[in-house]
Amino acid sequence: MCGIVGYIGPDQAYDFLIKGLQRLEYRGYDSAGVALLDGGLKVYKTKGKVSDLVSLTEGKDTTGSIGMGHTRWATHGEPNDINAHPHLSQSGDLCIIHNGIIENYASLKEVLLERGHEFVSDTDTEVLAHLIEDIRENEEVDVFEAVRLALNEVVGAYAIVIISKNDPDLLIGARKGSPMVIGHGKHEGEYYIASDATPIVEYTREVTYMEEGEIAMVKDGQLTIKTIQNIEKTPYIHKLEMTLDAIEKGGYDHFMLKEIYEQPKSIYDSMRGRFSQEDLTFAMQSLREYETKIRNLKRIIIVGCGTSWHAGLVGEYLIEEFARLPVEVEYASEFRYRNPIINSDDLVIAISQSGETADTLAALELAKENGATLYGVCNVVGSSIPRITHAGAHTHAGPEIGVASTKAFTAQVTVLTLLALGIAEIRGQITKARLREMFTELEQIPGKVQKVLDSCADKVLEISEKYMNVQNFLYLGRGYNFPVALEGALKLKEISYIHAEGYPAAEMKHGPIALIDENMPVVVIAPKRGYYEKVFSNIQEIKARKGQVIAVITEGDEKIKSIADHTIEIPDTEDALVPLLATIPLQLLSYHIAVMRNCNVDQPRNLAKSVTVE
Ligand code: M6R
C-alpha cells in the first residue's frame, strides 16, 4: 500500500522519482506526488496516477538533487489533491511521505491542535510531519533526533522519507512495519530510497534492506543508520540479482499477461535444483536443518491472504495426502485476532508473494510469541516475512507487478508440492517409487504449462467474447481443484468486476444451484483424475437447469465434451499437480474478459499489490 521513493546525490532527482513511482504504482494509484529541494522546496501532487502527476509538472520547475515521491493507496482521507503526499509541517519546512498507518494519529492531532497546529489534510501523515516539527522546536534538537523522538511516540506502521527546507544536504528515511530499501549509488554521497528494489535496480545493484525500527540519514554524503532507540547499526549491503527486463513489460500489453506467459519458467525456477531425480533426495536447506523438528511435528498451520491463502489450501491437500500430517489453513486476518491454539511443536507456514502483508506478518508474530516454528514461502527477497521466519523457501517467480497474482500462485503451489513431498520423505510416509513418479511428473510440468498456454488461447478468447457482459460467474472444483475454483473466481472479480463465486462442486446442491439458469456461466474444473465421475454428475445437474458449462478437462475427454457448452483441454497429470495446469486457462479467461470490458488489468480499482495495512 503506497509506494515511496527518495533520492539524494549529484544528479537531478526528478527522472528517478517519476520512473520509480511508475515501477511502484502497483502499490497504490489513488494519487501521486513529488517534492524537490533545490534552494527552495517544490511540491507537486495530484489525485490520480503518476501519468497525471507528469502532466501536472509539465513546464514546471522540477530541478533538485534531493527529492521524494509517493504513490498512494488511500487509508485516511479520500483520494484527492489535498490528501495526496507529500505533506508539510506547520511551518512548511519539513516535507514527508509515508506508507503505512499511524494508529494513534487522532490523539496526537488533538494535542497538536491544542498547541496551535493547523492541518490542511485528513491524513495521519500530516500529523506526523507536525509532530516532528513540534519536537524539533520544543526540544531544540536537529531533524534526525526529532524524527527519532517522534517515532517513539507513534503507534502503527510506517515507511517515511523526510526532507527539510533548511537542510539542503539531508535525506531521512525510517521504517517499521512497511518496507524500505536503500540503494547505494555509483557516485559518492548518492543514495536511493524505495519501497522495494524495482526502482533502484536500474541505477545500482547494491542495496541495504532497512530493518524494523531503523532510521537512516544521509547527511553531507554519509549514510548513518540508527535504531529508534538510538543504537548505531552498520548497513549490510546485499547484491541485487533482479534484472531490468524482469520488471518491464517486454512487448506484452500488460504485466499480467506477461506474468501468465512466464509461468513455464517461474514454475521451473521454483523447483530447479531443489530435488534430485537420480538419487531421490531434496536439496532444500530448510528441510535438512529442521529434519528433527519435522519428524516430531504434530500439526502444520498455514496462514496467508487472498491468492496466497488459496495456495495454502492446495498445500493442505498436498501435505495431508503425502505426509499424512494434519494441516489447518487460516486467513491470516482471522487467525491473528481469534486467540488461536498454537503449540510449540507446530510449524506455521506463511505464504506471501510480497512478504509484506500486514495480516500475515501479524499472524506470524503471534505464532512466534507462542513458540511455534515459522516457515516462509515468499517471493520478494529481502522482504519482512523471510526475515522474521526461522526457515523458508523462496518462490522464484521473479518480480510480479500485475496486482492480480498469477505466476506467484503457481510458484507457491510448486514450492508447497516440494515441501509436502520433502516432509513426507522425512517422516517416512512416501515410498521411493512414488517419490520417483512425482519427481518425474513435476519435471514435466513446465512443458505442460507451455502446452496449455499454446493451445488454449483461441478457445479462451472465444469464451471471453461470449460471456464478457454477464453479471455473475460460478466456479466449481473438487479436491485439489476446489482452491483452483476459488482462485479462478477471485481473479475474475478483482480485474473484471464481475461477481464470481468459487465453490466445492459438491456444495452446489446446498445453495448455489438456485442461481443456475440459462444466463449463468459455470466454470467446472473437471480433469480425468480425482473425483471425475462425481464432477461429471455435477455438470449434468447444471445442464439439467440450462446453465452454461465451461469445463476445464483432460485432453481427449469426449464424455464431458459431449455435454459441456465449452471445453478447454489440459494435458493429463498427477491429481496433485492438476492445479498447476488448470489455473492457467482461468487466469487467461479473467484477463481477456477484463481487457474486453476495458478494465485496468494491471491496476484494478481499489486494490494494491502489497497490503501493508490491516
Ligand atoms: O503478497 P501476498 O501474497 O501476501 O498478498 C496476499 C493478497 O493480498 C494477494 O494474493 C491478493 O489477493 C491478490 N490481489 C490476488 O490476485
Side-chain angles (χ1 to χ4, degrees), residues 383-452:
S383 58
S384 299
I385 291 176
R387 284 186 292 135
I388 72 159
T389 44
H390 299 107
H394 278 106
T395 49
H396 296 299
E400 190 181 66
I401 314 283
V403 165
S405 195
T406 53
K407 61 175 181 172
F409 174 73
T410 47
Q412 289 165 344
V413 172
T414 304
V415 169
L416 288 165
T417 307
L418 295 177
L419 262 184
L421 295 173
I423 295 171
E425 204 260 338
I426 290 171
R427 293 172 66 93
Q429 293 288 342
I430 190 164
T431 63
K432 291 275 179 213
R434 184 74 184 115
L435 201 53
R436 188 179 301 284
E437 277 170 12
M438 285 304 293
F439 282 170
T440 307
E441 191 52 29
L442 260 172
E443 283 180 336
Q444 304 295 314
I445 289 295
K448 290 188 177 181
V449 170
Q450 188 61 55
K451 192 169 176 199
V452 178

Side-chain angles (χ1 to χ4, degrees), residues 496-513:
S496 74
Y497 320 139
I498 293 175
H499 172 246
E501 295 280 347
Y503 265 95
E507 275 292 302
M508 184 179 67
K509 57 186 173 295
H510 298 289
I513 199 163

Side-chain angles (χ1 to χ4, degrees), residues 214-475:
E214 284 185 350
I215 315 174
M217 169 172 72
V218 181
K219 192 171 169 52
D220 299 330
Q222 292 303 312
L223 171 69
T224 312
I225 297 186
K226 287 187 177 178
T227 66
I228 61 169
Q229 291 79 27
N230 215 12
I231 299 164
E232 187 147 356
K233 301 290 276 297
T234 309
Y236 179 77
I237 299 180
H238 293 253
K239 281 258 181 246
L240 283 179
E241 280 174 18
M242 181 190 294
T243 62
L244 203 52
D245 334 338
I247 53 170
E248 290 185 336
K249 280 194 203 144
Y252 285 89
D253 288 343
H254 298 98
F255 280 111
M256 182 180 176
L257 190 62
K258 176 183 177 231
E259 288 156 8
I260 290 173
Y261 276 87
E262 279 173 349
Q263 288 175 105
K265 180 170 184 316
S266 52
I267 292 173
Y268 173 71
D269 287 346
S270 298
M271 64 172 87
R272 181 164 46 113
R274 286 182 158 161
F275 62 89
S276 156
Q277 171 70 293
E278 266 165 35
D279 50 10
L280 296 177
T281 52
F282 289 86
M284 291 168 81
Q285 199 189 343
S286 54
L287 288 179
R288 272 206 307 275
E289 273 176 17
Y290 283 82
E291 206 169 315
T292 316
K293 177 96 204 174
I294 289 170
R295 207 166 280 128
N296 297 319
L297 279 181
K298 298 280 177 302
R299 174 175 76 146
I300 290 180
I301 301 170
I302 300 180
V303 292
C305 303
T307 290
S308 296
W309 181 77
H310 296 156
L313 287 178
V314 181
E316 175 185 26
Y317 285 72
L318 285 161
I319 297 168
E320 291 200 341
E321 176 181 343
F322 291 102
R324 306 302 300 146
L325 187 63
V327 179
E328 286 168 28
V329 185
E330 302 262 3
Y331 281 117
S333 53
E334 287 297 312
F335 183 77
R336 63 181 289 196
Y337 283 121
R338 69 166 180 76
N339 196 10
I341 298 163
I342 308 165
N343 301 314
S344 56
D345 50 9
D346 287 336
L347 179 72
V348 176
I349 302 180
I351 305 178
S352 175
Q353 187 287 128
S354 61
E356 299 292 350
T357 300
D359 285 321
T360 311
L361 267 165
L364 281 179
E365 267 148 24
L366 180 68
K368 197 174 214 171
E369 279 162 26
N370 285 274
T373 303
L374 312 185
Y375 193 95
V377 177
C378 296
N379 195 40
V380 178
V381 176
S383 58
S384 299
I385 291 176
R387 284 186 292 135
I388 72 159
T389 44
H390 299 107
H394 278 106
T395 49
H396 296 299
E400 190 181 66
I401 314 283
V403 165
S405 195
T406 53
K407 61 175 181 172
F409 174 73
T410 47
Q412 289 165 344
V413 172
T414 304
V415 169
L416 288 165
T417 307
L418 295 177
L419 262 184
L421 295 173
I423 295 171
E425 204 260 338
I426 290 171
R427 293 172 66 93
Q429 293 288 342
I430 190 164
T431 63
K432 291 275 179 213
R434 184 74 184 115
L435 201 53
R436 188 179 301 284
E437 277 170 12
M438 285 304 293
F439 282 170
T440 307
E441 191 52 29
L442 260 172
E443 283 180 336
Q444 304 295 314
I445 289 295
K448 290 188 177 181
V449 170
Q450 188 61 55
K451 192 169 176 199
V452 178
L453 287 166
D454 294 342
S455 63
C456 78
D458 292 346
K459 192 52 99 44
V460 171
L461 269 172
E462 180 192 311
I463 300 169
S464 306
E465 262 163 26
K466 181 159 176 203
Y467 297 103
M468 63 176 274
N469 289 318
V470 300
Q471 305 285 314
N472 297 290
F473 255 87
L474 206 54
Y475 285 71

Side-chain angles (χ1 to χ4, degrees), residues 10 43 63 79 85 87 90 105 114 145 160 169 220 269 271 273 292 317 351 406 424 514 536-537 550:
V43 176
T63 53
H85 297 216
H87 289 283
Q90 177 77 25
Y105 85 103
E114 275 166 24
E145 185 59 4
I160 52 172
D169 56 355
D220 299 330
D269 287 346
M271 64 172 87
T292 316
Y317 285 72
I351 305 178
T406 53
F536 182 71
S537 303
I550 301 160

